Amino acid sequence: MRKPLFVGNWKMNLTGPEATELTKKLTLAVGDLGNVEVAIAPAFTSLRPVSSIISASSMGLAAQNLHAEDKGAFTGEISGAMLAELRVKYVIVGHSERRRAFNETDVMVNLKIEAALRNNIVPIVCLGEKGEERLARKTLTVVRKQLNALLEGIPLEQSAKIVIAYEPVWAIGTGHNATPDQAQEVHKYLRDRLTKRYSKEIADQIRIIYGGSVRADNIYDLMMESDVDGALVGSSSRDSEQFAAICSYRHMNKAEA
Ligand code: PEP
């Protein structure tokens, strides 16, 4: 019922020519996977060239951030209205790197979710616990608080299109992914909370994707969990063969990648 979604987050990597080259390789390697949705999130400066390369493919364009206002005196920022002009379909909000390096809070991210929805862009809402919180067995409490704050005031009629990305902070860029059981426990818990907040029908439509050291050699087992609906992929998304294998949950040994 939920179409799996795979999003490549290139972060602050790749110059314009490098992004163009990788996008061309990706369109060939990923091809048209009718049963899954694939999107890539280049840096702002590469959105336009990437947008034109993927326009003939089934791949979607994602941005890595947006400002909560549509315009105004916010030097250096990019608004949802500007992203919509470039045919941006998704925007990542609340990534742990933005929380850590730019002091973004759940309240700020909540406003960004509203801005994305106002501009018809699907927010990919990141949340997840830190390593010490998992060790202290606070994972579910932490993600519950985050979910409540992030979705505060988001109306029922907008809710089904939101994507939630469970990204345990300790798994991002570390090579240590959550086990399928760990991911499933949190995803199921989040879906139950979404059922309470909205309805079972809505919760069953919301995609909850996993992020944190996803590779072609671990995606299959993660995707076998009933509440894992895809992945937000960092470093493995900058290797066209690896990302293509992830999107088709095809196993590749690290040596092949
Ligand atoms: C990310 O940055 O969202 C991420 C999941 O990174 P990585 O896949 O490199 O852990």
Side-chain angles (χ1 to χ4, degrees):
M1 181 173 50
R2 294 181 294 272
K3 197 172 192 180
L5 171 67
F6 294 92
V7 183
N9 174 14
W10 294 353
K11 311 192 185 191
M12 197 177 71
N13 292 295
L14 307 179
T15 60
E18 287 165 348
T20 303
E21 193 190 331
L22 177 58
T23 307
K24 286 181 182 157
K25 281 192 190 161
L26 277 172
T27 52
L28 292 175
V30 173
D32 192 0
L33 301 167
N35 49 347
V36 305
E37 257 178 81
V38 178
I40 46 179
F44 285 134
T45 49
S46 295
L47 283 171
R48 192 182 287 279
V50 168
S51 175
S52 66
I53 296 168
I54 63 175
S55 62
S57 79
S58 60
M59 234 183 291
L61 189 62
Q64 299 176 18
N65 184 30
L66 84 171
H67 192 269
E69 299 291 334
D70 287 345
K71 61 177 181 176
F74 301 103
T75 303
E77 291 293 309
I78 305 279
S79 75
M82 293 166 178
L83 296 178
E85 251 177 21
L86 297 177
R87 296 193 297 266
V88 166
K89 192 170 173 190
Y90 303 95
V91 62
I92 300 167
V93 289
H95 193 283
S96 69
E97 288 156 11
R98 294 210 57 85
R99 292 171 184 264
R100 190 189 62 227
F102 304 100
N103 300 320
E104 283 194 12
T105 62
D106 287 336
V107 172
M108 290 159 78
V109 179
N110 171 260
L111 294 173
K112 291 184 178 206
I113 297 171
E114 286 180 353
L117 292 169
R118 191 165 65 236
N119 287 287
N120 291 317
I121 300 173
V122 172
I124 299 172
V125 181
C126 302
L127 51 79
E129 81 286 4
K130 299 190 182 102
E132 61 268 26
E133 292 166 334
R134 175 161 283 271
L135 286 176
R137 299 177 185 277
K138 290 188 181 149
T139 298
L140 299 183
T141 310
V142 168
V143 297
R144 186 186 68 238
K145 284 190 183 146
Q146 288 177 329
L147 189 75
N148 286 344
L150 292 166
L151 297 186
E152 175 73 37
I154 305 297
L156 182 87
E157 55 281 8
Q158 296 269 41
S159 57
K161 52 179 104 118
I162 289 173
V163 174
I164 307 284
Y166 169 54
E167 293 214 309
V169 179
W170 51 269
I172 298 176
T174 59
H176 302 294
N177 58 290
T179 64
D181 282 353
Q182 287 172 328
Q184 172 60 22
E185 183 193 22
V186 178
H187 285 222
K188 167 88 174 59
Y189 180 75
L190 291 170
R191 203 175 305 287
D192 288 346
R193 301 302 307 178
L194 291 167
T195 301
K196 285 203 173 75
R197 171 174 282 271
Y198 297 115
S199 68
K200 172 145 174 43
E201 199 193 340
I202 297 280
D204 281 344
Q205 290 175 58
I206 296 179
R207 287 177 292 187
I208 306 176
I209 64 177
Y210 167 78
S213 297
V214 167
R215 299 178 303 271
D217 64 4
N218 59 26
I219 189 63
Y220 179 82
D221 290 339
L222 286 159
M223 288 302 290
M224 287 305 102
E225 298 295 341
S226 56
D227 289 291
V228 177
D229 305 318
L232 180 54
V233 186
S235 58
S236 301
S237 68
R238 302 200 306 275
D239 174 321
S240 56
E241 292 306 319
Q242 179 88 216
F243 190 56
I246 290 170
C247 297
S248 52
Y249 341 153
R250 186 159 36 86
H251 189 279
M252 264 171 93
N253 292 321
K254 273 189 212 162
E256 282 176 67

